[in-house]
Amino acid sequence: EIVMTQSPATLSVSPGERATLSCRASQSVSNYLAWYQQKPGQAPRLLISGASTRATGIAARFSGSGSGTEFTLTISSLQSEDFAVYYCQQYNNWPLIFGGGTTVEIK
Amino acid sequence: VQLLESGGGLVQPGGSLRLTCAASGFTFSTYAMNWVRQAPGKGLEWVSDISGSGHSTFYADSVKGRFTISRDNSKNTLYLQMHSLRAEDTAVYYCAKRSSFVSGPMDVWGQGTTVTVSS
């Protein structure tokens, strides 16, 4: 079973600053990697698929990169609505696995 | 495009429950569907997947043999039958649409239904 490891667990960032979130897979998932955002009391929302393709309606400040085992989600200039928990997920193999999440909090 | 879960509630350990997810706004039969759960204060855990036709199903080891995913494409509805429920099954259960017939990311999510397993 693939293990997805996200770091850091918590990221403290000031509004307007750049945030860089990491996700590492224990074995290659090619580019079958998605990123989701979840705010308190809400369902997750797809941000990025195929490691780097923004989902419909997602702001350009969100970008994804990487392939194989190392992936990054970058939020170029944090807005107040971006403070949330972010999950990566591989969909290359069964079982589908989510990372443990990174909480982006206001510094 | 909308997914609306129902059927959650309080159930005793060892009991059963059936969750339902009503889909609208898209051609239901052409997309794989999933159940994902989130225990209180925890992260997301994939539970089960079913292909668009319903012919292929997959389960997390934690629920294999106890949960059954199914769909009725004539009713645009997804189900999760849960048996032998345990305290560790307590969670918000989300249904989620995948972006293709058999795979892809989860591009649409419902708001979730809460299952509490407790005596």
Side-chain angles (χ1 to χ4, degrees):
Chain A
E1 176 176 311
I2 295 174
V3 177
M4 305 297 293
T5 303
Q6 291 188 241
S7 61
T10 303
L11 188 60
S12 299
V13 185
S14 299
E17 288 188 341
R18 182 186 194 90
T20 303
L21 289 67
S22 295
C23 175
R24 174 177 293 178
S26 60
Q27 64 189 73
S28 177
V29 299
S30 184
N31 68 333
Y32 295 103
L33 190 284
W35 289 95
Y36 301 88
Q37 177 194 66
Q38 188 179 33
K39 297 179 181 179
Q42 296 185 17
R45 177 175 70 145
L46 177 66
L47 295 177
I48 300 283
S49 64
S52 60
T53 302
R54 277 190 304 277
T56 303
I58 300 303
R61 64 181 180 274
F62 292 93
S63 63
S65 63
S67 66
T69 62
E70 300 283 343
F71 302 90
T72 300
L73 174 70
T74 302
I75 311 171
S76 59
S77 177
L78 272 157
Q79 306 298 302
S80 57
E81 62 266 31
D82 301 334
F83 293 96
V85 182
Y86 293 83
Y87 295 95
C88 62
Q89 180 231 339
Q90 71 83 19
Y91 53 97
N92 187 52
N93 299 97
W94 301 107
L96 306 183
I97 298 291
F98 290 91
T102 291
T103 299
V104 177
E105 63 176 25
I106 300 174
K107 187 174 181 180
Chain B
V1 178
Q2 189 172 7
L3 300 171
L4 186 61
E5 303 95 335
S6 61
L10 175 63
V11 60
Q12 292 188 338
S16 299
L17 210 56
R18 188 177 82 156
L19 305 184
T20 298
C21 173
S24 60
F26 63 100
T27 306
F28 183 68
S29 61
T30 61
Y31 294 96
M33 296 294 295
N34 279 208
W35 289 98
V36 176
R37 68 184 181 184
Q38 187 169 36
K42 302 297 185 182
L44 301 172
E45 179 189 15
W46 171 76
V47 172
S48 186
D49 177 282
I50 187 167
S51 64
S53 64
H55 292 159
S56 297
T57 58
F58 301 88
Y59 298 93
D61 285 347
S62 58
V63 306
K64 201 172 293 182
R66 299 187 300 122
F67 290 11
T68 302
I69 191 171
S70 62
R71 65 192 296 161
D72 185 337
N73 287 343
S74 69
K75 296 182 178 179
N76 292 344
T77 303
L78 175 72
Y79 303 99
L80 185 68
Q81 180 67 56
M82 304 184 293
H83 294 297
S84 303
L85 282 162
R86 307 166 180 166
E88 53 265 36
D89 296 318
T90 294
V92 175
Y93 284 74
Y94 296 101
C95 77
K97 167 188 166 293
R98 296 193 72 182
S99 64
S100 75
F101 188 75
V102 294
S103 64
M106 300 174 198
D107 61 358
V108 180
W109 295 66
Q111 282 304 299
T113 188
T114 300
V115 173
T116 303
V117 184
S118 175
S119 55

